Amino acid sequence: MFSKILIANRGEIALRIIRAARELGLKTVAVYSEPDKSSLHTLLADEKICIGPAKVSESYLNVPNIMSAAEISKADAVHPGYGFLAENPRFPEICQSQGITFIGPPAPLMRLMGDKSRARLEMKKSKLPVIPGSDKTLNEIPEAKKEAQRLGFPVILKAKAGGGGKGMRIARSASQLEEQFPIAQREAEGAFGDPSLYLEKYISKARHIEIQVIGDTKGNILAFAERECSIQRKYQKLLEETPSPFVDEKLRRRMTKAVQESARFIGYQSLGTFEFLVDEQKKFYFMEANTRVQVEHPITEMIYDLDLIKEQIKIAAGEKLSYPPGLARRGHSLECRINAEDAETFIPSPGKIDFLVLPGGEGIRVDSAAYCGWQIPPDYDSLVAKIIAFAPSRQETIKKMKTALEMTTLVGIKTNISLHLGFLANSSFIKGDYDIRFMESFLKKQQPKSED
Ligand code: MV4
């Protein structure tokens, strides 16, 4: 086992990793940017090293500074968390060359899954159903039009180097495709430094469902019950639940079995998530795989009563998966992402937290780096707390979450708590009858006079 872990991240996920490391008896090193001098991850780690100014390219993405911090502190492993360097295959390569263990999948696996087009083909080879689409990147509009005609409109342009919604453009006709193609190319170039695009058939009456996997270095792989992630805005998830109210035992068995086989096919190691669309006929289609720990991992931890981060650290140290293949699951879990933003306009609202009450009690978990008196820096994402509820049934979990949200008090900043309370009171949500179109129709009903 390692003796000291450096956490190349900030905020709630850095704290989450510090907690797991501590429980395993490991020392922790925080790296922080200048505005994060008084952030909780900086204050709670055993050691802390400043790696640069606010700008992420000069701090949390600054590999030479992070590697220097690892060397100075004699850390023997690095955990990247999510975002920042978590899915950059150069980072595990550099860690390896410095004799430091990267806590995550090997670089070649990351490179494969980072190329969304290649990942699609590889998953097709492994017999996982993928969304009908173009098997190679499209460089010209005529080529794209031909593919779109073959697939039938609507189609969606996606960035080969993308993921998470960036560079995605829906086209409902040939003229729209012509219009959107250069826009998507520019967006992909800007976000990923690679303008390459591919096409998929657009599936709108679908649910966004993902399967968590974990694999050790000995070839043992576990696939967990699905997480329902259909409630998103601008491809940012807002509320997640597990199990999905739409997925029955038969579909769950088919999906977990298919994912386990595909993960084995590519020799998956560490934590990972396979994202799917599931249509009305309960047909599932692979979209992409994320080679990192995800924001919503706690809901899986709640229903399985385990610690995915501790397990991920142990696996990186060469230990065998400690869970049996027939892992027992019970109950239901929901996560609400509380953002420091206006609940109606979604405009970020950084600032000082003047008063703070976070919920608790049986079945409530809060993952947050917020504290009373903390000045939320404007430089990073707006996630202030994840409120996670667990109860025996979905209905009880909704009630528990509602109670928790009503007790949560954040003074000094705006939050989206009222938006979440709106979801929990929505009849389609309560029935579990919702899909990826939910957010659009929810906002229309809430704001009938809205101009956009
Ligand atoms: C799609 C799709 C429909 N058809 N791809 C969004 C996040 C990224 N990981 C993949 N996403 C989607 N890809 C095809 N071929 C629908 C989504 C999607 C979505 C789209 C519009 C509004 C809300 C959405 C929520 C989840 C997924």
Coordinates of all heavy atoms in Angstrom, one line a residue, residues 51-111:
I51 N 0.4 25.6 -6.0 CA 0.9 25.2 -7.4 C 0.6 26.3 -8.4 O 0.8 26.1 -9.6 CB 0.2 23.9 -7.9 CG1 -1.3 23.9 -7.7 CG2 0.9 22.7 -7.2 CD1 -2.0 22.8 -8.5
G52 N 0.2 27.5 -8.0 CA 0.0 28.5 -9.0 C -1.2 29.4 -8.7 O -1.9 29.3 -7.8
P53 N -1.4 30.4 -9.7 CA -2.5 31.3 -9.5 C -3.9 30.7 -9.9 O -4.0 29.5 -10.2 CB -2.2 32.4 -10.5 CG -1.3 31.7 -11.6 CD -0.6 30.6 -10.8
A54 N -4.9 31.5 -9.9 CA -6.3 31.1 -10.1 C -6.5 30.3 -11.4 O -7.1 29.2 -11.4 CB -7.2 32.3 -10.0
K55 N -5.9 30.8 -12.4 CA -6.1 30.2 -13.8 C -5.7 28.8 -13.8 O -4.6 28.4 -13.4 CB -5.2 31.0 -14.7 CG -5.8 31.4 -16.1 CD -4.9 32.3 -16.8 CE -5.0 31.9 -18.3 NZ -3.9 32.5 -19.1
V56 N -6.7 27.9 -14.2 CA -6.4 26.4 -14.1 C -5.2 26.0 -14.9 O -4.5 25.1 -14.5 CB -7.7 25.6 -14.5 CG1 -8.8 25.8 -13.4 CG2 -8.2 25.9 -15.9
S57 N -5.0 26.7 -16.1 CA -3.8 26.3 -16.9 C -2.5 26.5 -16.2 O -1.5 25.8 -16.5 CB -3.8 27.0 -18.2 OG -3.7 28.4 -18.0
E58 N -2.5 27.3 -15.2 CA -1.3 27.6 -14.4 C -1.3 26.9 -13.0 O -0.3 27.1 -12.3 CB -1.1 29.1 -14.3 CG -0.8 29.8 -15.6 CD -0.9 31.3 -15.5 OE1 -0.5 31.9 -14.5 OE2 -1.3 31.9 -16.5
S59 N -2.4 26.2 -12.7 CA -2.4 25.6 -11.4 C -2.9 24.1 -11.5 O -2.1 23.2 -11.7 CB -3.3 26.4 -10.4 OG -4.6 26.7 -10.9
Y60 N -4.2 23.9 -11.5 CA -4.7 22.5 -11.5 C -4.5 21.7 -12.8 O -4.6 20.5 -12.8 CB -6.2 22.5 -11.1 CG -6.4 23.0 -9.7 CD1 -7.0 24.3 -9.5 CD2 -6.1 22.3 -8.6 CE1 -7.2 24.8 -8.2 CE2 -6.2 22.7 -7.3 CZ -6.8 24.0 -7.1 OH -7.0 24.5 -5.8
L61 N -4.1 22.5 -13.8 CA -3.7 21.8 -15.1 C -2.2 21.8 -15.3 O -1.7 21.4 -16.4 CB -4.5 22.4 -16.3 CG -6.0 22.1 -16.3 CD1 -6.6 22.8 -17.6 CD2 -6.3 20.6 -16.4
N62 N -1.5 22.4 -14.4 CA 0.0 22.6 -14.5 C 0.7 21.4 -14.1 O 1.1 21.2 -12.9 CB 0.4 23.9 -13.7 CG 1.8 24.3 -13.9 OD1 2.6 23.4 -14.3 ND2 2.1 25.6 -13.7
V63 N 1.0 20.5 -15.0 CA 1.6 19.2 -14.7 C 3.0 19.3 -14.1 O 3.2 18.7 -13.1 CB 1.6 18.3 -16.0 CG1 2.3 17.0 -15.7 CG2 0.1 18.0 -16.4
P64 N 3.9 20.2 -14.6 CA 5.2 20.3 -14.0 C 5.1 20.7 -12.5 O 5.8 20.2 -11.7 CB 5.9 21.4 -14.8 CG 5.2 21.3 -16.2 CD 3.8 20.9 -15.9
N65 N 4.2 21.7 -12.2 CA 4.1 22.1 -10.8 C 3.5 21.0 -9.9 O 3.9 20.8 -8.8 CB 3.2 23.4 -10.7 CG 3.9 24.6 -11.2 OD1 5.0 24.5 -11.8 ND2 3.3 25.8 -11.0
I66 N 2.5 20.3 -10.5 CA 1.9 19.2 -9.7 C 3.0 18.1 -9.5 O 3.1 17.5 -8.4 CB 0.7 18.6 -10.4 CG1 -0.5 19.7 -10.3 CG2 0.2 17.3 -9.7 CD1 -1.6 19.4 -11.2
M67 N 3.7 17.7 -10.5 CA 4.8 16.7 -10.3 C 5.9 17.1 -9.4 O 6.4 16.3 -8.6 CB 5.4 16.3 -11.7 CG 4.4 15.7 -12.7 SD 3.3 14.4 -12.0 CE 4.5 13.1 -11.6
S68 N 6.2 18.4 -9.4 CA 7.2 19.0 -8.4 C 6.6 18.8 -7.0 O 7.4 18.4 -6.1 CB 7.5 20.4 -8.7 OG 8.0 20.6 -10.0
A69 N 5.3 19.1 -6.8 CA 4.7 19.0 -5.5 C 4.8 17.5 -5.0 O 5.0 17.3 -3.8 CB 3.3 19.5 -5.6
A70 N 4.5 16.6 -6.0 CA 4.6 15.2 -5.6 C 6.0 14.8 -5.2 O 6.2 14.0 -4.2 CB 4.1 14.3 -6.8
E71 N 7.0 15.3 -5.9 CA 8.4 15.0 -5.6 C 8.8 15.6 -4.2 O 9.3 14.9 -3.4 CB 9.3 15.5 -6.7 CG 10.6 14.9 -6.8 CD 11.4 15.4 -8.0 OE1 10.8 15.7 -9.1 OE2 12.6 15.6 -7.8
I72 N 8.5 16.8 -4.0 CA 8.9 17.5 -2.8 C 8.2 16.8 -1.6 O 8.9 16.6 -0.6 CB 8.4 19.0 -2.8 CG1 9.2 19.8 -3.8 CG2 8.5 19.7 -1.4 CD1 8.6 21.1 -4.2
S73 N 7.0 16.4 -1.7 CA 6.3 15.8 -0.6 C 6.5 14.3 -0.5 O 6.0 13.7 0.5 CB 4.8 16.1 -0.7 OG 4.3 15.5 -1.9
K74 N 7.2 13.8 -1.4 CA 7.5 12.3 -1.5 C 6.2 11.5 -1.5 O 6.1 10.5 -0.9 CB 8.4 11.9 -0.3 CG 9.8 12.5 -0.3 CD 10.7 11.8 0.7 CE 12.1 12.3 0.6 NZ 12.3 13.7 1.0
A75 N 5.2 12.0 -2.2 CA 4.0 11.2 -2.4 C 4.3 10.1 -3.3 O 5.0 10.2 -4.2 CB 2.9 12.1 -3.0
D76 N 3.7 8.9 -3.0 CA 3.9 7.8 -3.9 C 2.7 7.5 -4.8 O 2.8 6.5 -5.6 CB 4.3 6.5 -3.1 CG 3.6 6.3 -1.8 OD1 2.5 6.9 -1.7 OD2 4.1 5.5 -1.0
A77 N 1.7 8.2 -4.7 CA 0.5 8.1 -5.6 C -0.2 9.4 -5.8 O -0.1 10.3 -5.0 CB -0.5 7.0 -5.1
V78 N -0.8 9.5 -7.0 CA -1.6 10.8 -7.3 C -3.0 10.4 -7.7 O -3.2 9.5 -8.5 CB -1.0 11.5 -8.5 CG1 -1.9 12.7 -8.9 CG2 0.4 12.1 -8.1
H79 N -4.0 11.0 -7.0 CA -5.4 10.8 -7.4 C -5.9 12.1 -8.2 O -5.8 13.2 -7.6 CB -6.3 10.6 -6.2 CG -7.6 10.0 -6.6 ND1 -8.5 10.6 -7.5 CD2 -8.2 8.8 -6.2 CE1 -9.5 9.8 -7.6 NE2 -9.4 8.7 -6.9
P80 N -6.4 12.0 -9.4 CA -6.8 13.1 -10.2 C -8.2 13.6 -9.9 O -8.6 14.7 -10.4 CB -6.7 12.6 -11.6 CG -7.1 11.2 -11.5 CD -6.6 10.7 -10.2
G81 N -9.1 12.9 -9.2 CA -10.5 13.3 -9.0 C -11.2 13.2 -10.3 O -11.0 12.3 -11.2
Y82 N -12.1 14.2 -10.6 CA -12.8 14.4 -11.9 C -12.4 15.7 -12.5 O -12.0 16.7 -11.7 CB -14.3 14.1 -11.7 CG -15.0 15.0 -10.7 CD1 -15.1 16.4 -10.8 CD2 -15.6 14.4 -9.6 CE1 -15.8 17.1 -9.9 CE2 -16.3 15.1 -8.6 CZ -16.4 16.5 -8.8 OH -17.1 17.3 -7.9
G83 N -12.6 15.9 -13.7 CA -12.3 17.1 -14.4 C -10.8 17.3 -14.5 O -10.0 16.3 -14.3
F84 N -10.3 18.5 -14.6 CA -8.8 18.8 -14.7 C -8.1 17.8 -15.5 O -8.3 17.6 -16.7 CB -8.3 19.1 -13.3 CG -8.9 20.2 -12.6 CD1 -9.4 20.1 -11.3 CD2 -9.1 21.5 -13.2 CE1 -10.0 21.2 -10.6 CE2 -9.7 22.6 -12.5 CZ -10.2 22.4 -11.3
L85 N -7.1 17.0 -14.8 CA -6.3 16.1 -15.5 C -6.8 14.7 -15.5 O -6.1 13.8 -16.0 CB -4.9 16.2 -14.9 CG -4.1 17.5 -15.0 CD1 -2.9 17.6 -14.0 CD2 -3.6 17.7 -16.4
A86 N -8.0 14.5 -15.0 CA -8.5 13.1 -14.8 C -8.5 12.2 -16.0 O -8.4 11.0 -16.0 CB -9.9 13.1 -14.1
E87 N -8.7 12.8 -17.2 CA -8.9 12.0 -18.4 C -7.8 12.4 -19.5 O -8.0 12.1 -20.7 CB -10.3 12.1 -18.9 CG -11.2 11.4 -18.0 CD -12.7 11.4 -18.4 OE1 -13.3 12.5 -18.2 OE2 -13.2 10.4 -18.8
N88 N -6.7 12.9 -19.0 CA -5.6 13.2 -19.9 C -4.6 12.1 -19.8 O -3.9 12.0 -18.8 CB -5.0 14.6 -19.5 CG -3.9 15.0 -20.4 OD1 -3.3 14.2 -21.1 ND2 -3.5 16.3 -20.3
P89 N -4.5 11.3 -20.9 CA -3.6 10.1 -20.8 C -2.1 10.5 -20.7 O -1.3 9.6 -20.2 CB -3.8 9.4 -22.2 CG -4.5 10.4 -23.1 CD -5.2 11.4 -22.2
R90 N -1.7 11.7 -20.9 CA -0.3 12.1 -20.7 C 0.0 12.1 -19.2 O 1.2 11.9 -18.9 CB -0.1 13.5 -21.3 CG 0.0 13.6 -22.8 CD 1.3 13.0 -23.4 NE 2.5 13.6 -23.0 CZ 3.6 13.0 -22.6 NH1 3.7 11.7 -22.7 NH2 4.7 13.7 -22.3
F91 N -1.0 12.4 -18.4 CA -0.7 12.5 -17.0 C -0.3 11.2 -16.3 O 0.7 11.1 -15.7 CB -2.0 13.1 -16.3 CG -1.7 13.6 -14.9 CD1 -0.6 14.3 -14.5 CD2 -2.7 13.3 -13.9 CE1 -0.4 14.7 -13.2 CE2 -2.5 13.7 -12.6 CZ -1.3 14.4 -12.2
P92 N -1.1 10.1 -16.6 CA -0.6 8.8 -16.0 C 0.8 8.4 -16.6 O 1.6 7.8 -15.9 CB -1.6 7.8 -16.5 CG -2.5 8.5 -17.4 CD -2.4 9.9 -17.1
E93 N 1.1 8.8 -17.9 CA 2.4 8.5 -18.5 C 3.5 9.2 -17.8 O 4.5 8.6 -17.4 CB 2.4 8.8 -20.0 CG 1.6 7.9 -20.8 CD 1.5 8.3 -22.3 OE1 1.8 9.5 -22.6 OE2 1.0 7.5 -23.1
I94 N 3.2 10.5 -17.4 CA 4.3 11.3 -16.7 C 4.4 10.8 -15.3 O 5.6 10.7 -14.8 CB 3.9 12.8 -16.8 CG1 4.0 13.3 -18.2 CG2 4.8 13.6 -15.8 CD1 3.3 14.6 -18.5
C95 N 3.3 10.4 -14.7 CA 3.4 9.9 -13.3 C 4.3 8.6 -13.3 O 5.2 8.5 -12.5 CB 2.0 9.5 -12.8 SG 1.0 11.0 -12.3
Q96 N 4.0 7.7 -14.3 CA 4.8 6.5 -14.4 C 6.3 6.8 -14.6 O 7.1 6.1 -13.9 CB 4.2 5.7 -15.5 CG 4.7 4.2 -15.5 CD 4.1 3.4 -16.6 OE1 3.7 3.9 -17.7 NE2 4.0 2.1 -16.4
S97 N 6.6 7.7 -15.5 CA 8.0 8.0 -15.7 C 8.7 8.6 -14.5 O 9.9 8.5 -14.4 CB 8.1 9.0 -16.9 OG 7.8 10.3 -16.5
Q98 N 7.9 9.1 -13.5 CA 8.5 9.7 -12.3 C 8.4 8.7 -11.2 O 8.7 9.0 -10.0 CB 7.7 10.9 -11.9 CG 7.6 12.0 -12.9 CD 8.9 12.8 -13.0 OE1 9.4 13.4 -12.1 NE2 9.5 12.8 -14.2
G99 N 7.9 7.5 -11.4 CA 7.8 6.4 -10.4 C 6.7 6.7 -9.4 O 6.8 6.2 -8.3
I100 N 5.7 7.4 -9.8 CA 4.6 7.7 -9.0 C 3.3 7.0 -9.5 O 3.1 7.0 -10.7 CB 4.3 9.2 -8.9 CG1 5.5 9.9 -8.1 CG2 3.0 9.5 -8.2 CD1 5.5 11.4 -8.2
T101 N 2.6 6.3 -8.7 CA 1.4 5.6 -9.2 C 0.2 6.5 -9.5 O -0.1 7.3 -8.6 CB 0.9 4.5 -8.2 OG1 2.0 3.6 -7.9 CG2 -0.2 3.7 -8.7
F102 N -0.3 6.4 -10.6 CA -1.5 7.2 -11.0 C -2.7 6.4 -10.6 O -2.9 5.2 -10.9 CB -1.5 7.4 -12.5 CG -2.8 8.1 -13.0 CD1 -3.0 9.5 -12.9 CD2 -3.8 7.3 -13.6 CE1 -4.2 10.1 -13.3 CE2 -5.0 7.9 -14.0 CZ -5.2 9.3 -13.9
I103 N -3.6 6.9 -9.8 CA -4.8 6.2 -9.3 C -5.9 6.4 -10.3 O -6.7 7.3 -10.3 CB -5.2 6.6 -7.9 CG1 -4.0 6.4 -6.9 CG2 -6.5 5.8 -7.4 CD1 -4.3 7.0 -5.5
G104 N -6.0 5.4 -11.3 CA -6.9 5.5 -12.4 C -6.5 4.4 -13.4 O -5.6 3.7 -13.2
P105 N -7.2 4.4 -14.5 CA -6.9 3.4 -15.5 C -5.6 3.7 -16.2 O -5.1 4.8 -16.3 CB -8.1 3.5 -16.5 CG -8.7 4.8 -16.3 CD -8.4 5.2 -14.9
P106 N -5.0 2.7 -16.9 CA -3.7 2.9 -17.6 C -3.9 3.8 -18.8 O -5.0 3.9 -19.3 CB -3.4 1.5 -18.1 CG -4.2 0.5 -17.4 CD -5.4 1.3 -16.9
A107 N -2.9 4.5 -19.2 CA -2.9 5.5 -20.3 C -3.6 5.0 -21.6 O -4.4 5.7 -22.2 CB -1.6 6.1 -20.5
P108 N -3.2 3.8 -22.0 CA -3.8 3.3 -23.3 C -5.4 3.2 -23.3 O -6.0 3.5 -24.2 CB -3.2 2.0 -23.5 CG -1.9 2.0 -22.8 CD -2.2 2.8 -21.6
L109 N -5.9 2.8 -22.1 CA -7.3 2.7 -21.9 C -8.0 4.0 -22.0 O -9.1 4.2 -22.5 CB -7.7 2.0 -20.6 CG -7.8 0.5 -20.6 CD1 -7.9 -0.1 -19.2 CD2 -9.1 0.1 -21.4
M110 N -7.3 5.0 -21.3 CA -7.8 6.4 -21.3 C -7.8 7.0 -22.7 O -8.7 7.7 -23.1 CB -6.9 7.2 -20.4 CG -7.5 8.1 -19.5 SD -6.3 9.1 -18.7 CE -6.6 8.5 -17.0
R111 N -6.7 6.7 -23.4 CA -6.6 7.2 -24.8 C -7.7 6.6 -25.7 O -8.3 7.3 -26.5 CB -5.2 6.8 -25.4 CG -4.8 7.7 -26.5 CD -3.3 7.7 -26.8 NE -2.6 8.7 -26.0 CZ -1.6 8.5 -25.2 NH1 -1.2 7.3 -24.9 NH2 -1.0 9.5 -24.6

